[in-house]
Amino acid sequence: MARISEFKIGKKKNLKIHDGIPATIFKENVDGTSIIQIETYGRDSREIPGKTSQVIQLDEKAALELVQIILSKENSEG
């Protein structure tokens, strides 16, 4: 599990697009801090289908930073 505290913008020459997988998002207030938790699950072909694969947490500051990055026209091609 990881809680992201900040983002750095990078560039990848050959970004590979992965297959889509399901995820569940949780929003909780922990000690007065709003936390978003995203849990991803592996493919049905995994040894234990439906088992949580990755957990990522964002506090309000990191979530807002991610939204700004997504909405930004800078550093994106297309």
Short mmCIF file of all heavy atoms in Angstrom, two decimals, residues 2-30:
data_model
loop_
_atom_site.label_atom_id
_atom_site.label_comp_id
_atom_site.label_asym_id
_atom_site.label_seq_id
_atom_site.Cartn_x
_atom_site.Cartn_y
_atom_site.Cartn_z
N ALA A 2 0.41 2.27 -0.64
CA ALA A 2 1.18 3.51 -0.67
C ALA A 2 0.24 4.70 -0.58
O ALA A 2 -0.84 4.69 -1.17
CB ALA A 2 1.99 3.60 -1.96
N ARG A 3 0.65 5.72 0.18
CA ARG A 3 -0.07 6.99 0.18
C ARG A 3 0.79 7.99 -0.55
O ARG A 3 1.93 8.26 -0.15
CB ARG A 3 -0.36 7.49 1.60
CG ARG A 3 -1.24 8.75 1.58
CD ARG A 3 -1.63 9.20 2.96
NE ARG A 3 -0.50 9.57 3.79
CZ ARG A 3 0.13 10.75 3.72
NH1 ARG A 3 -0.24 11.66 2.85
NH2 ARG A 3 1.15 10.99 4.52
N ILE A 4 0.27 8.50 -1.63
CA ILE A 4 1.02 9.43 -2.47
C ILE A 4 0.98 10.81 -1.82
O ILE A 4 -0.08 11.32 -1.49
CB ILE A 4 0.43 9.47 -3.89
CG1 ILE A 4 0.58 8.09 -4.54
CG2 ILE A 4 1.10 10.56 -4.73
CD1 ILE A 4 -0.14 7.93 -5.85
N SER A 5 2.16 11.40 -1.65
CA SER A 5 2.24 12.72 -1.02
C SER A 5 2.48 13.83 -2.03
O SER A 5 2.19 14.99 -1.76
CB SER A 5 3.34 12.74 0.05
OG SER A 5 4.59 12.44 -0.54
N GLU A 6 3.04 13.49 -3.17
CA GLU A 6 3.26 14.49 -4.22
C GLU A 6 3.49 13.78 -5.55
O GLU A 6 3.80 12.60 -5.60
CB GLU A 6 4.45 15.39 -3.90
CG GLU A 6 5.78 14.68 -3.94
CD GLU A 6 6.96 15.61 -3.66
OE1 GLU A 6 7.46 16.21 -4.62
OE2 GLU A 6 7.35 15.70 -2.49
N PHE A 7 3.32 14.53 -6.62
CA PHE A 7 3.53 14.00 -7.96
C PHE A 7 4.66 14.76 -8.64
O PHE A 7 4.82 15.95 -8.42
CB PHE A 7 2.26 14.17 -8.81
CG PHE A 7 1.12 13.29 -8.36
CD1 PHE A 7 0.17 13.77 -7.48
CD2 PHE A 7 1.01 12.00 -8.82
CE1 PHE A 7 -0.88 12.97 -7.06
CE2 PHE A 7 -0.03 11.19 -8.42
CZ PHE A 7 -0.98 11.68 -7.53
N LYS A 8 5.41 14.04 -9.43
CA LYS A 8 6.42 14.66 -10.30
C LYS A 8 6.04 14.29 -11.73
O LYS A 8 5.73 13.14 -12.00
CB LYS A 8 7.82 14.14 -9.97
CG LYS A 8 8.28 14.54 -8.59
CD LYS A 8 9.67 14.05 -8.31
CE LYS A 8 10.04 14.47 -6.89
NZ LYS A 8 11.33 13.98 -6.50
N ILE A 9 6.06 15.27 -12.62
CA ILE A 9 5.70 15.01 -14.00
C ILE A 9 6.92 14.47 -14.73
O ILE A 9 8.00 15.05 -14.66
CB ILE A 9 5.20 16.29 -14.69
CG1 ILE A 9 4.06 16.87 -13.90
CG2 ILE A 9 4.89 16.03 -16.14
CD1 ILE A 9 2.79 17.10 -14.58
N GLY A 10 6.75 13.35 -15.38
CA GLY A 10 7.83 12.75 -16.16
C GLY A 10 7.37 12.54 -17.59
O GLY A 10 6.21 12.76 -17.93
N LYS A 11 8.26 12.12 -18.43
CA LYS A 11 7.95 11.79 -19.82
C LYS A 11 8.46 10.39 -20.10
O LYS A 11 9.55 10.04 -19.70
CB LYS A 11 8.62 12.78 -20.77
CG LYS A 11 7.90 14.08 -20.88
CD LYS A 11 7.97 14.53 -22.31
CE LYS A 11 7.15 15.78 -22.43
NZ LYS A 11 6.33 15.81 -23.57
N LYS A 12 7.64 9.62 -20.77
CA LYS A 12 8.04 8.28 -21.20
C LYS A 12 7.98 8.25 -22.71
O LYS A 12 7.02 8.72 -23.31
CB LYS A 12 7.06 7.24 -20.64
CG LYS A 12 7.61 6.51 -19.46
CD LYS A 12 6.82 5.24 -19.29
CE LYS A 12 7.41 4.20 -18.42
NZ LYS A 12 8.79 4.05 -18.27
N LYS A 13 9.01 7.70 -23.30
CA LYS A 13 9.07 7.66 -24.76
C LYS A 13 8.03 6.70 -25.34
O LYS A 13 7.35 7.01 -26.29
CB LYS A 13 10.48 7.27 -25.20
CG LYS A 13 10.73 7.52 -26.65
CD LYS A 13 12.20 7.38 -26.95
CE LYS A 13 12.44 7.85 -28.38
NZ LYS A 13 13.84 7.96 -28.68
N ASN A 14 7.92 5.52 -24.74
CA ASN A 14 7.01 4.51 -25.25
C ASN A 14 6.08 4.04 -24.14
O ASN A 14 6.28 2.98 -23.57
CB ASN A 14 7.79 3.31 -25.81
CG ASN A 14 8.65 3.70 -27.00
OD1 ASN A 14 8.17 4.34 -27.92
ND2 ASN A 14 9.92 3.34 -26.95
N LEU A 15 5.06 4.83 -23.85
CA LEU A 15 4.11 4.48 -22.81
C LEU A 15 3.22 3.34 -23.29
O LEU A 15 2.57 3.44 -24.33
CB LEU A 15 3.25 5.69 -22.44
CG LEU A 15 2.25 5.48 -21.31
CD1 LEU A 15 3.00 5.32 -19.99
CD2 LEU A 15 1.29 6.64 -21.23
N LYS A 16 3.21 2.24 -22.54
CA LYS A 16 2.41 1.09 -22.91
C LYS A 16 1.05 1.19 -22.22
O LYS A 16 0.98 1.40 -21.01
CB LYS A 16 3.11 -0.20 -22.48
CG LYS A 16 2.32 -1.43 -22.82
CD LYS A 16 2.98 -2.69 -22.30
CE LYS A 16 2.07 -3.88 -22.58
NZ LYS A 16 2.40 -5.04 -21.81
N ILE A 17 -0.02 1.03 -22.98
CA ILE A 17 -1.36 1.05 -22.41
C ILE A 17 -1.70 -0.37 -21.95
O ILE A 17 -1.63 -1.32 -22.71
CB ILE A 17 -2.40 1.54 -23.45
CG1 ILE A 17 -2.02 2.92 -23.98
CG2 ILE A 17 -3.79 1.53 -22.86
CD1 ILE A 17 -1.99 4.01 -22.94
N HIS A 18 -2.08 -0.51 -20.69
CA HIS A 18 -2.39 -1.81 -20.11
C HIS A 18 -3.87 -2.14 -20.30
O HIS A 18 -4.69 -1.26 -20.55
CB HIS A 18 -2.06 -1.81 -18.61
CG HIS A 18 -0.60 -1.64 -18.34
ND1 HIS A 18 0.24 -2.70 -18.10
CD2 HIS A 18 0.18 -0.53 -18.28
CE1 HIS A 18 1.46 -2.26 -17.90
NE2 HIS A 18 1.45 -0.94 -18.01
N ASP A 19 -4.20 -3.41 -20.13
CA ASP A 19 -5.60 -3.84 -20.17
C ASP A 19 -6.35 -3.19 -19.00
O ASP A 19 -5.79 -2.97 -17.93
CB ASP A 19 -5.71 -5.36 -20.03
CG ASP A 19 -5.07 -6.09 -21.20
OD1 ASP A 19 -4.96 -5.49 -22.29
OD2 ASP A 19 -4.69 -7.27 -21.04
N GLY A 20 -7.63 -2.94 -19.21
CA GLY A 20 -8.46 -2.40 -18.14
C GLY A 20 -8.76 -3.45 -17.09
O GLY A 20 -8.92 -4.63 -17.40
N ILE A 21 -8.81 -3.03 -15.84
CA ILE A 21 -9.15 -3.91 -14.73
C ILE A 21 -10.15 -3.17 -13.83
O ILE A 21 -10.22 -1.94 -13.85
CB ILE A 21 -7.91 -4.32 -13.90
CG1 ILE A 21 -7.16 -3.07 -13.45
CG2 ILE A 21 -7.01 -5.24 -14.67
CD1 ILE A 21 -6.35 -3.28 -12.22
N PRO A 22 -10.90 -3.90 -13.00
CA PRO A 22 -11.83 -3.22 -12.09
C PRO A 22 -11.08 -2.60 -10.90
O PRO A 22 -9.99 -3.04 -10.54
CB PRO A 22 -12.75 -4.34 -11.62
CG PRO A 22 -11.98 -5.60 -11.83
CD PRO A 22 -11.04 -5.34 -12.97
N ALA A 23 -11.70 -1.58 -10.33
CA ALA A 23 -11.17 -0.94 -9.12
C ALA A 23 -12.34 -0.47 -8.28
O ALA A 23 -13.43 -0.22 -8.78
CB ALA A 23 -10.27 0.24 -9.49
N THR A 24 -12.09 -0.35 -7.00
CA THR A 24 -13.07 0.21 -6.07
C THR A 24 -12.44 1.43 -5.43
O THR A 24 -11.25 1.42 -5.10
CB THR A 24 -13.44 -0.81 -4.97
OG1 THR A 24 -13.94 -1.99 -5.60
CG2 THR A 24 -14.50 -0.26 -4.04
N ILE A 25 -13.23 2.49 -5.28
CA ILE A 25 -12.73 3.71 -4.65
C ILE A 25 -13.50 3.94 -3.35
O ILE A 25 -14.70 3.75 -3.29
CB ILE A 25 -12.81 4.91 -5.61
CG1 ILE A 25 -12.05 6.10 -5.06
CG2 ILE A 25 -14.24 5.25 -5.94
CD1 ILE A 25 -11.77 7.17 -6.08
N PHE A 26 -12.76 4.31 -2.32
CA PHE A 26 -13.34 4.58 -1.01
C PHE A 26 -12.98 6.01 -0.62
O PHE A 26 -11.87 6.47 -0.90
CB PHE A 26 -12.75 3.64 0.06
CG PHE A 26 -12.94 2.18 -0.27
CD1 PHE A 26 -11.98 1.49 -1.00
CD2 PHE A 26 -14.06 1.50 0.17
CE1 PHE A 26 -12.14 0.14 -1.29
CE2 PHE A 26 -14.23 0.16 -0.12
CZ PHE A 26 -13.28 -0.52 -0.85
N LYS A 27 -13.91 6.73 0.01
CA LYS A 27 -13.64 8.08 0.52
C LYS A 27 -13.96 8.06 2.00
O LYS A 27 -15.08 7.75 2.40
CB LYS A 27 -14.49 9.12 -0.21
CG LYS A 27 -14.17 10.53 0.23
CD LYS A 27 -14.94 11.54 -0.60
CE LYS A 27 -14.50 12.94 -0.23
NZ LYS A 27 -15.39 13.61 0.68
N GLU A 28 -12.96 8.36 2.81
CA GLU A 28 -13.12 8.34 4.26
C GLU A 28 -12.52 9.60 4.87
O GLU A 28 -11.63 10.22 4.29
CB GLU A 28 -12.40 7.13 4.86
CG GLU A 28 -12.93 5.79 4.41
CD GLU A 28 -14.31 5.46 4.96
OE1 GLU A 28 -14.66 5.95 6.05
OE2 GLU A 28 -15.04 4.71 4.29
N ASN A 29 -13.00 9.95 6.04
CA ASN A 29 -12.42 11.04 6.80
C ASN A 29 -11.66 10.40 7.96
O ASN A 29 -12.25 9.73 8.80
CB ASN A 29 -13.52 11.98 7.32
CG ASN A 29 -12.96 13.25 7.87
OD1 ASN A 29 -12.01 13.24 8.64
ND2 ASN A 29 -13.55 14.36 7.48
N VAL A 30 -10.35 10.57 7.95
CA VAL A 30 -9.49 9.96 8.97
C VAL A 30 -8.79 11.07 9.74
O VAL A 30 -8.00 11.82 9.16
CB VAL A 30 -8.45 9.00 8.33
CG1 VAL A 30 -7.57 8.38 9.39
CG2 VAL A 30 -9.15 7.93 7.49
#
